[in-house]
Amino acid sequence: MINIDALNHVKGKSIYLDDIPEISGTLYCLPFYAETAHGRIKDVNIQAAKQLSGISAIFLAEDIPGANQIGGIIPDEPLFAANEIHYWGQPIGLIVGVSEHICRKARKLIRISFDELPVITCPREAQKLNHLIVPPRKFKIGQIDKAWSECDYIIEGTADINGQEHLYIETQGAYAWPKEGGSLYVASSTQGPTAVQRTIATVLNLPMHKIEVNVVRLGGGFGGKEDQATMWAVMAALAAQKLNKPVKISLHRMDDMCMTGKRHPYSSDFRIGLTKSLKIMAYEVIHYQNAGASADLSPAILERTLFHSTNAYYIPNVEATAWSCKTNLPPNTAFRGFGGPQGKFVIEAAIVKAAESIGVNPDDIQKANLVDNGDEFPYGQVIENAEAKHSWEECDLAFKLDEIKHKVEIFNDSNIRYKKGYAVQPICFGISFTNTMMNHARALVHIYQDGSVVISTGAVEMGQGVNTKLLQIATEIFGISPEKVRLESTNTLRIANTSPTAASAGADLNGKALEIACNTLKNRLIQVAESNFGNKEIIFCHDQIKTTDNKNQISWTALILLAFQQRVSLSEHAHYATPVIHYDKTKEKGHPFAYHVYGTAILEVTVDCLKGTYQFDSVKIVHDFGNSMNTDVDNGQIEGGLVQGIGWMTMEEILYNEKGKLISNALSTYKVPDIYSVPKEIIIRHLETIGPELAIKKSKAVGEPPLMYGLGAYFAIRKAVKSFNPLAHLAFDAPYTPEKVLMDLYRRNK
Ligand code: MTE
Ligand code: HPA
Ligand code: MOS
């Protein structure tokens, strides 16, 4: 089935937040902030701004009717800073006016005086001062202290990894208007409608049933709208309630970049121990997560870093510790992979450093340590249906790793200005929210008298194609054509208590709930058909309902009418909760994931050793889709995820100055991959596997895992740099921008 949004996207007919026709009398709102990352507020002077003609109101913390609190996991984040400012861009209040233009004008007239406080942006420095979001977590398996004595090689090091801007094409925004009796309707560009609803209720001191949140689709989220779409919706709702008017907010790109959190930067220390036969016996790692000024989703992200600290490798003795460090940056947040990629970067760096010091190829170590059935992850889950070795072998077989290596060597021997590098990147990613409680979903299906069907679930469409998959599920169960089925927006009145569409689990959770609803309806319809045909086996296909002996047939439309006349319910609301999974945080052991997604990529790059620039020649992937239910949609996720991962590892560089001000705050200073920087060739092969029962139609989750193939980009470039400058000691410090590559090419040992 083609992506159901494809045609309207291309024609420009799809509705995004800013396309919603405006109700007359709509006001606009704009938050304001102080020029500091850490300060004690002395005075906020809004007089001049307030007097500007066209300004309706300016709201501060004291105007909030309920709690000045938007923290999701921990209540540590005010909507408006009242006493202290903790990051550059933290809202202090909200300007409301008749146009966006007038609000911008007013913003320039606001005077905020404050006392400067010390600014900390480094997570290690914050940890030393005990500025923590939550106490540290530790995952352990085996006996690390004893294990070191069994190792022939022990290598230590440090790895740093920077954040990443989400750069969804549609910036953050919301549109709220009052309904009858003090209720509110809120259109939001959010991955988590329920979080928006709950937080508005808290801030406005209303019961949740008075707030209807509606999401049609997002112009990209990538995790940046899992938690951080909430703030803007709360602002619009606050102004709408206070002024009893429709109020809209739509951030300019520079405000969006300055005021929102990003992927978490991490700084980590590792020690890895191997035997002569290259078996990794011991791995110790300490992660310092740069959480920013408040918790947001950082504790959950920290947890996933620990879950994925050993990537696709089995290591018998592991001790992994993670600190969530509070700094004066915007609260960092979910981003495709949710802390997993950071955990994986460090183990890959450790393997590369070990390989360099032992004098072997990193892929010799990687290959010798891939997980297998019966192996246990440090968090206690025993591996079933491992595809790590399988995907590696298929990748090797299909793309001939030895030939690639040989080609690279020959090229490097005969070239001076250009050097090639390659890396193999295996991945293993756990599917389920790591917080077991979040793994459930609901679906609502109505069949109307004319046979047309409407579906609602808690899933949010953000470009990943979940709506297409949902449509596919319903049409297949009912055996009807796609034109008969419509996907409704995600709305808190139709589907309550949703988990955000995240953790790559959107299609699994909502799809399974939808399956249950559709099958329940189908069983009712079978009974109606049986009352007509007698007790024969019945099939649904091509808009017809037939007996298998082909003697009886009725159209879908006629059967629906019949069912309605017989007073059979044509609506169903269903619930699904992932079975099997559990986790005990006190022991740090359990079975948190429904299943894992595996795959292996080979990345090849050519570095220009005069300029420090590079071009990816190819990325060749064997990916474990299970039994892909939509190969076009799934291949799209692989390509997009891969390129986003490569961008993070190479050119995307977030920079704050020493005062904590974001200086990479526009597309002129923050470079993302464009058509010229994507790999010249991307080949995606599907690994032949059966697919797990817990995946929707045995089609594995695909949203986040492919981003992690991009990690290989860093190590491929490093390999090329090493071949030009073999003696240099190189740090592990992503992203590997052309500037850093150039420095490394000509680095001399100290
Ligand atoms: N693909 C597109 N086009 N746009 C997005 O915003 N978000 C990613 C991934 N793929 C995203 C995307 C992230 S972070 C997640 S968690 C999943 O999609 C969420 O959707 P799913 O659960 O339906 O896979
Ligand atoms: N993944 C993504 N988003 C989340 C998770 C997770 O494991 N937990 C809470 N939000
Ligand atoms: Mo995705 S980071 O789980 O929204």
Side-chain angles (χ1 to χ4, degrees):
M1 188 176 296
I2 64 156
N3 189 318
I4 57 172
D5 280 330
L7 211 60
N8 279 343
H9 280 359
V10 172
K11 289 181 177 172
K13 285 188 173 172
S14 303
I15 304 281
Y16 295 86
L17 206 117
D18 214 20
D19 301 317
I20 299 172
E22 281 169 26
I23 302 170
S24 80
T26 291
L27 301 174
Y28 303 83
C29 67
L30 182 72
F32 60 90
Y33 52 88
E35 300 273 296
T36 182
H38 198 191
R40 193 168 291 111
I41 300 174
K42 289 199 293 194
D43 183 52
V44 181
N45 186 340
I46 54 173
Q47 292 320 314
K50 230 175 165 173
Q51 277 153 20
L52 208 63
S53 137
I55 293 300
S56 315
I58 297 179
F59 298 119
L60 299 170
E62 66 217 41
D63 301 309
I64 293 172
N68 181 17
Q69 187 49 249
I70 60 166
I73 297 182
I74 299 172
D76 70 345
E77 188 177 359
L79 176 67
F80 298 136
N83 306 307
E84 271 195 26
I85 297 156
H86 291 275
Y87 65 91
W88 197 297
Q90 183 175 10
I92 290 173
L94 188 71
I95 307 162
V96 193
V98 296
S99 72
E100 202 187 305
H101 177 73
I102 199 74
C103 293
R104 290 193 172 274
K105 243 175 145 173
R107 187 155 86 167
K108 293 198 181 109
L109 300 175
I110 292 176
R111 296 284 168 264
I112 303 156
S113 52
F114 51 83
D115 290 324
E116 292 274 9
L117 295 168
V119 172
I120 293 173
T121 57
C122 163
R124 287 177 190 259
E125 202 182 326
Q127 189 264 353
K128 278 199 196 103
L129 295 168
N130 209 30
H131 292 180
L132 303 176
I133 299 285
V134 284
R137 300 265 303 264
K138 201 184 272 286
F139 282 23
K140 274 186 184 176
I141 192 167
Q143 288 188 295
I144 192 105
D145 294 331
K146 283 194 185 156
W148 298 118
S149 61
E150 295 165 33
C151 299
D152 299 304
Y153 312 103
I154 297 176
I155 295 98
E156 307 186 321
T158 292
D160 285 281
I161 191 159
N162 205 345
Q164 185 176 23
E165 192 69 57
H166 297 88
L167 224 97
Y168 22 67
I169 295 178
E170 179 191 38
T171 55
Q172 302 274 5
Y175 189 9
W177 58 81
K179 298 198 295 182
E180 199 177 82
S183 305
L184 284 166
Y185 176 95
V186 184
S188 167
S189 177
T190 180
Q191 292 173 239
T194 296
V196 169
Q197 180 194 21
R198 191 180 52 232
T199 315
I200 292 175
T202 307
V203 174
L204 300 190
N205 196 21
L206 290 175
M208 282 170 79
H209 71 212
K210 285 208 167 178
I211 294 141
E212 173 183 0
V213 178
N214 192 57
V215 186
V216 175
R217 66 166 63 73
L218 274 51
F222 306 111
K225 295 171 182 171
E226 180 174 339
D227 212 54
Q228 298 211 355
T230 300
M231 181 189 281
W232 323 106
V234 175
M235 289 179 189
L238 171 74
Q241 189 202 38
K242 292 279 240 184
L243 301 169
N244 202 30
K245 289 266 185 144
V247 180
K248 184 172 163 174
I249 181 166
S250 176
L251 292 190
H252 277 202
R253 181 67 67 186
M254 280 169 102
D255 273 342
D256 188 303
M257 291 176 88
C258 164
M259 300 178 80
T260 63
K262 298 145 207 336
R263 186 190 286 284
H264 291 76
Y266 275 66
S267 185
S268 308
D269 296 324
F270 61 79
R271 185 195 282 175
I272 190 168
L274 301 92
T275 61
K276 284 228 158 64
S277 57
L278 302 183
K279 279 275 174 203
I280 306 174
M281 293 307 294
Y283 180 57
E284 190 181 348
V285 62
I286 304 173
H287 298 290
Y288 300 94
Q289 177 198 54
N290 193 336
S294 53
D296 193 273
L297 293 163
S298 296
I301 291 160
L302 191 82
E303 182 173 75
R304 203 177 262 281
T305 302
L306 289 171
F307 281 119
H308 294 312
S309 276
T310 52
N311 190 13
Y313 310 110
Y314 171 64
I315 307 177
N317 305 285
V318 177
E319 188 175 305
T321 312
W323 298 82
S324 184
C325 311
K326 196 170 179 164
T327 59
N328 297 113
L329 296 181
N332 286 315
T333 195
F335 197 136
R336 209 172 192 167
F338 207 72
Q342 291 94 324
K344 289 176 201 279
F345 180 76
V346 186
I347 182 76
E348 295 300 336
I351 288 172
V352 167
K353 187 152 187 194
E356 287 171 0
S357 77
I358 299 168
V360 295
N361 280 315
D363 43 286
D364 296 328
I365 299 178
Q366 290 171 312
K367 191 181 170 185
N369 292 281
L370 294 168
V371 290
D372 212 342
N373 290 343
D375 288 343
E376 186 180 334
F377 284 114
Y379 48 92
Q381 184 157 347
V382 177
I383 300 162
E384 303 155 61
N385 305 314
E387 301 291 352
K389 291 187 175 178
H390 186 194
S391 70
W392 182 289
E393 281 154 14
E394 287 296 317
C395 192
D396 192 0
L397 198 69
F399 305 121
K400 306 196 170 47
L401 181 56
D402 277 339
E403 280 178 25
I404 292 173
K405 286 180 178 175
H406 188 64
K407 196 184 67 189
V408 168
E409 249 174 60
I410 301 274
F411 181 93
N412 288 349
D413 283 346
S414 52
N415 281 280
I416 296 169
R417 173 161 173 190
Y418 295 96
K419 295 288 182 190
K420 282 191 189 291
Y422 75 94
V424 188
Q425 186 59 61
I427 61 161
C428 167
F429 193 78
I431 301 302
S432 290
F433 286 96
T434 55
N435 182 358
T436 303
M437 189 204 94
M438 294 173 79
N439 294 285
H440 57 135
R442 280 145 293 274
L444 176 66
V445 181
H446 295 310
I447 308 173
Y448 292 102
Q449 294 165 55
D450 67 352
S452 66
V453 178
V454 71
I455 293 170
S456 300
T457 74
V460 168
E461 176 62 51
M462 55 188 122
Q464 87 280 38
V466 68
N467 280 358
T468 303
K469 290 185 173 179
L470 293 170
L471 189 79
Q472 235 177 306
I473 291 162
T475 53
E476 280 180 33
I477 291 174
F478 292 146
I480 56 178
S481 47
E483 299 76 57
K484 284 202 164 58
V485 187
R486 207 171 79 79
L487 252 298
E488 249 304 341
S489 63
T490 317
N491 186 297
T492 53
L493 288 187
R494 280 190 298 275
I495 302 292
N497 307 320
T498 58
S499 288
T501 300
S504 305
D508 279 1
L509 296 174
N510 294 281
K512 291 263 184 185
L514 179 62
E515 251 180 9
I516 295 169
C518 291
N519 280 322
T520 306
L521 285 164
K522 186 175 180 175
N523 285 335
R524 266 183 227 149
L525 293 172
I526 288 173
Q527 282 181 9
V528 175
E530 278 176 354
S531 70
N532 261 38
F533 301 156
N535 262 344
K536 294 182 189 166
E537 211 186 313
I538 287 165
I539 51 167
F540 288 56
C541 70
H542 298 116
D543 297 304
Q544 299 293 322
I545 287 79
K546 297 189 250 186
T547 52
T548 40
D549 62 10
N550 264 324
K551 293 210 169 117
N552 312 77
Q553 181 166 339
I554 183 171
S555 75
W556 165 265
T557 322
L559 180 66
I560 295 303
L561 196 59
L562 202 60
F564 179 67
Q565 285 161 350
Q566 292 180 6
R567 300 189 296 172
V568 171
S569 165
L570 294 173
S571 297
E572 186 64 19
H573 179 270
H575 173 258
Y576 172 78
T578 314
V580 185
I581 52 171
H582 57 88
Y583 194 71
D584 183 346
K585 272 196 186 185
T586 60
K587 299 196 177 83
E588 299 290 20
K589 297 282 174 194
H591 187 106
F593 298 120
Y595 57 88
H596 290 82
V597 172
Y598 300 87
T600 304
I602 304 173
L603 299 91
E604 292 174 76
V605 71
T606 305
V607 173
D608 180 336
C609 300
L610 189 61
K611 296 181 178 170
T613 53
Y614 39 75
Q615 165 81 53
F616 282 86
D617 305 315
S618 69
V619 180
K620 295 163 180 155
I621 300 170
V622 172
H623 185 82
D624 161 31
F625 293 87
N627 183 20
S628 172
M629 67 183 285
N630 192 320
T631 50
D632 285 343
V633 166
D634 285 355
N635 285 341
Q637 286 292 292
I638 302 282
E639 289 175 359
L642 168 72
V643 172
Q644 200 165 33
I646 293 177
W648 175 43
M649 282 292 111
T650 59
M651 58 174 56
E652 296 182 40
E653 189 174 37
I654 290 176
L655 284 173
Y656 293 94
N657 70 12
E658 70 289 349
K659 291 180 138 185
K661 181 184 183 179
L662 183 73
I663 48 179
S664 53
N665 66 346
L667 286 168
S668 53
T669 44
Y670 185 79
K671 295 291 186 188
V672 288
D674 60 11
I675 193 70
Y676 302 105
S677 45
V678 302
K680 283 190 210 147
E681 185 183 30
I682 298 174
I683 307 176
I684 303 161
R685 290 231 185 171
H686 290 229
L687 189 66
E688 260 180 59
T689 62
I690 309 161
E693 288 295 337
L694 295 183
I696 182 70
K697 294 171 74 62
K698 300 190 180 180
S699 178
K700 284 190 173 185
V702 70
E704 294 165 288
L707 179 127
M708 284 154 268
Y709 292 130
L711 293 172
Y714 187 90
F715 302 102
I717 296 174
R718 183 182 169 99
K719 188 119 187 145
V721 172
K722 273 269 171 186
S723 117
F724 183 84
N725 186 6
L727 294 178
H729 291 301
L730 306 180
F732 294 94
D733 183 14
Y736 221 167
T737 58
E739 273 170 275
K740 286 194 207 161
V741 170
L742 193 62
M743 299 297 280
D744 277 355
L745 286 166
Y746 299 96
R747 187 175 299 284
R748 292 280 163 255
N749 283 342
K750 279 185 209 120

